[in-house]
Amino acid sequence: MSSDHTCPILSTCTTAPTNTILGVSTNGELVHQSILLKCVLGLVHRVPNLLVSRAPSSLLRGLARGAGGMAGLGRGRIGLPAQVLPGDRKFFVCVPKTSGGFVYFGDGLLLDYRVAKYMLYTPLVTSPSEPDEYFISVKSIKINGGAVDFDGSLLSFDENGYGGTKLSTVVAYTTLETSIYKAFTKAFVGEATTGFGFNMSRVASVAPFEYCFLNSKSVPVIDLVLQSEMVKWRIHGWNSMVNVSDDVMCLGFLDGGVMNQTTSAVIVIGGNHLENNLVEFDLEGSRLGFSSLLDKQSWCSDFSSLGGESRSW
């Protein structure tokens, strides 16, 4: 929710809440309401006078079973990070493969040393066209160390504010602008089918994926090169491939369309590629931290019972 409405306590304002999964909006009210958040050590904390958007239950269609709404974690003034911790806007997200995921507000998360030691950071950048969303700067894409050949200027914002790389848990699979997608998939398929140590066998496409293969234990590594060659977001097979059957897996990247017509970001890193990555959103420091837990033989569920002191907000 990105509305800038403000209201006196106990009064209401009209707003337009949106189910971003289905892209459906309706009329609703922006109200003050208290909520309870589960803290570390099983404690519960009450957050008073939180601005929430109240909407009809029909807007819950398409959400997970039992969901009572959607939490807005954007960078706007009424996103949960700004309201829960206005003086220390930092939170951690871990999207699970199956269960045990979490969102943790504050900087008191006691990271397992195996993970904390390997956390990498890259600056958060502001998109002129989507200022409340989370963008990072990708400089290039590599597959098994080889650069993908495409127009690198697309990765920067153009005069209309379009471009850049966005993170989104609403999008299931990472999307690439059409020309980048074509260059990327050509390079990946070439490496997967003829590269040393792979010899993956192509099979028929399985919607919505275009490039599918017989299951293989060895898959080309994908690197999103960030502010320097030393800082890369590495995507291994467990995050780049999607198992569609016992025998077939597909490359989990989709054609995002032509920029300025169907997309404002040329790369949208989706939920599948965020799975089992511990991601830190440091809004005060304007940076994003990330570490693949699978690299460190850990899972989101390993942090489900966090130790240490409970934060007092």
Side-chain angles (χ1 to χ4, degrees):
M1 184 171 61
S2 60
S3 171
D4 285 332
H5 289 304
T6 57
C7 302
I9 295 177
L10 301 180
S11 69
T12 62
C13 293
T14 59
T15 187
T18 302
N19 178 325
T20 52
I21 302 296
L22 300 179
V24 177
S25 298
T26 187
N27 294 324
E29 295 178 332
L30 191 65
V31 300
H32 284 92
Q33 182 174 318
S34 296
I35 66 168
L36 298 178
L37 296 178
K38 182 180 179 181
C39 305
V40 295
L41 303 179
L43 301 176
V44 175
H45 177 71
R46 177 176 176 269
V47 181
N49 300 324
L50 191 79
L51 279 171
V52 299
S53 182
R54 189 163 57 191
S57 59
S58 60
L59 213 58
L60 297 177
R61 287 184 294 116
L63 302 185
R65 181 178 300 177
M70 299 184 72
L73 299 177
R75 303 169 76 174
R77 293 185 300 165
I78 60 174
L80 273 182
Q83 293 195 71
V84 173
L85 289 173
D88 182 18
R89 296 188 301 155
K90 179 185 292 187
F91 64 97
F92 296 81
V93 174
C94 200
V95 178
K97 278 285 186 184
T98 53
S99 61
F102 62 85
V103 177
Y104 183 94
F105 294 97
D107 60 2
L109 180 61
L110 300 180
L111 299 177
D112 185 292
Y113 76 92
R114 292 172 299 169
V115 177
K117 180 179 179 180
Y118 295 102
M119 286 286 282
L120 296 175
Y121 291 89
T122 191
L124 286 169
V125 297
T126 300
S127 165
S129 60
E130 298 182 90
D132 289 345
E133 301 291 341
Y134 293 101
F135 278 74
I136 59 176
S137 179
V138 172
K139 301 299 184 183
S140 64
I141 302 174
K142 292 186 175 182
I143 297 176
N144 262 23
V148 178
D149 184 18
F150 61 89
D151 181 3
S153 67
L154 291 172
L155 298 173
S156 302
F157 299 117
D158 66 13
E159 65 275 7
N160 297 313
Y162 297 122
T165 299
K166 179 170 71 172
L167 279 71
S168 174
T169 57
V170 173
V171 175
Y173 304 103
T174 293
T175 64
L176 305 174
E177 187 273 340
T178 295
S179 65
I180 300 177
Y181 174 79
K182 290 180 178 179
F184 170 81
T185 52
K186 179 181 179 180
F188 183 91
V189 171
E191 186 68 21
T193 55
T194 63
F196 178 77
F198 298 110
N199 295 320
M200 296 170 63
S201 299
R202 287 272 314 267
V203 296
S205 301
V206 178
F209 309 111
E210 185 174 1
Y211 297 97
C212 298
F213 307 83
L214 292 179
N215 280 341
S216 173
K217 293 182 179 179
S218 184
V219 176
V221 171
I222 300 165
D223 285 320
L224 303 181
V225 181
L226 304 176
Q227 65 264 33
S228 74
E229 290 288 336
M230 299 298 294
V231 184
K232 303 172 184 176
W233 190 321
R234 177 154 288 183
I235 303 174
H236 291 279
W238 50 73
N239 280 121
S240 64
M241 308 302 292
V242 179
N243 291 319
V244 296
S245 73
D246 291 339
D247 302 316
V248 176
M249 60 183 182
C250 299
L251 181 61
F253 288 75
L254 302 179
D255 186 343
V258 178
M259 190 176 65
N260 298 350
Q261 296 180 14
T262 55
T263 182
S264 59
V266 294
I267 301 176
V268 180
I269 300 175
N272 184 65
H273 297 150
L274 292 172
E275 285 181 353
N276 237 56
N277 277 272
L278 182 65
V279 183
E280 175 187 342
F281 295 84
D282 181 356
L283 304 189
E284 294 301 313
S286 193
R287 65 176 187 167
L288 180 97
F290 55 94
S291 178
S292 173
L293 300 183
L294 288 173
D295 281 351
K296 317 301 178 290
Q297 298 182 332
S298 298
W299 302 84
C300 291
S301 56
D302 293 341
F303 299 91
S304 59
S305 298
L306 300 173
E309 297 182 353
S310 171
R311 286 296 304 267
S312 177
W313 299 318

